[in-house]
Amino acid sequence: MQIKLIVVGNVKEIFYQNKIEEFQKQINKKMSIQLICLKDESIPKQTSETVIRKIKETEGEKILNQIQNTDYVAALCIDGKKMDNSKIKKSIATAEQRGKSSIAFVIGGSLGLSDAVVKRADEKISFSNMTFPHQLMRVMLMEVLADTICGK
């Protein structure tokens, strides 16, 4: 089983970058993990719903291009199922039971995920009713995966 993190945007803060690398090294000792960072679209100051939808669709196409038919996809959405470490572990086990070669956790950009990505997802997961910056969410997910996979 391989884990993929498909994320939109770059992590700018050095502290976050260092923590992500640390967790990635821990996870790689037990299970292969691949971090796929996609360029986010620039958001104009004056945006209409049409522009927002188009940006999400463009970012969504980039995400979908990284997903294989053999991937089990878990999209991080605020309206997803509330998860904890044991449920994340169960999601990984479910992917394995379904014969999937990898599980892809998807974190959208600052505008969220496109409808097409959410539709492709095998499950929608959430860590909280609160909205977190996607950079911080990446660190949080990596920490949960490290704890779940490595027991740390």
Side-chain angles (χ1 to χ4, degrees), residues 13-141:
E13 291 82 5
I14 299 295
F15 172 76
Y16 289 160
Q17 291 173 6
N18 291 341
K19 291 308 286 182
I20 289 168
E21 289 173 16
E22 177 185 323
F23 292 134
Q24 191 171 8
K25 286 177 187 174
Q26 288 176 10
I27 295 165
N28 267 323
K29 290 178 183 176
K30 301 275 185 174
M31 188 177 288
S32 174
I33 184 166
Q34 179 183 15
L35 182 58
I36 302 167
C37 300
L38 306 171
K39 184 173 178 352
D40 54 348
E41 297 295 306
S42 58
I43 303 169
K45 291 186 184 204
Q46 301 287 341
T47 57
S48 65
E49 284 299 316
T50 304
V51 171
I52 290 171
R53 187 176 64 251
K54 181 63 181 160
I55 291 170
K56 287 169 67 171
E57 287 172 0
T58 301
E59 291 177 349
E61 288 171 16
K62 292 177 189 179
I63 292 168
L64 291 171
N65 286 334
Q66 299 298 319
I67 295 173
Q68 308 300 315
N69 289 337
T70 56
D71 290 342
Y72 182 90
V73 179
L76 275 72
C77 304
I78 198 164
D79 63 340
K81 290 187 304 185
K82 300 298 178 268
M83 299 298 270
D84 60 21
N85 293 20
S86 65
K87 290 179 182 174
I88 293 284
K89 192 171 196 166
K90 187 175 178 182
S91 290
I92 294 169
T94 298
E96 287 179 315
Q97 290 167 358
R98 292 187 183 178
K100 300 294 184 175
S101 61
S102 62
I103 181 167
F105 291 93
V106 179
I107 301 174
S110 59
L111 298 175
L113 294 169
S114 71
D115 292 340
V117 172
V118 174
K119 184 177 178 182
R120 168 57 181 90
D122 294 287
E123 69 178 317
K124 295 188 323 181
I125 63 175
S126 174
F127 283 17
S128 171
N129 288 334
M130 295 184 286
T131 302
F132 296 102
H134 60 275
Q135 296 177 35
L136 177 58
M137 194 65 236
R138 204 173 306 178
V139 176
M140 292 168 59
L141 177 59

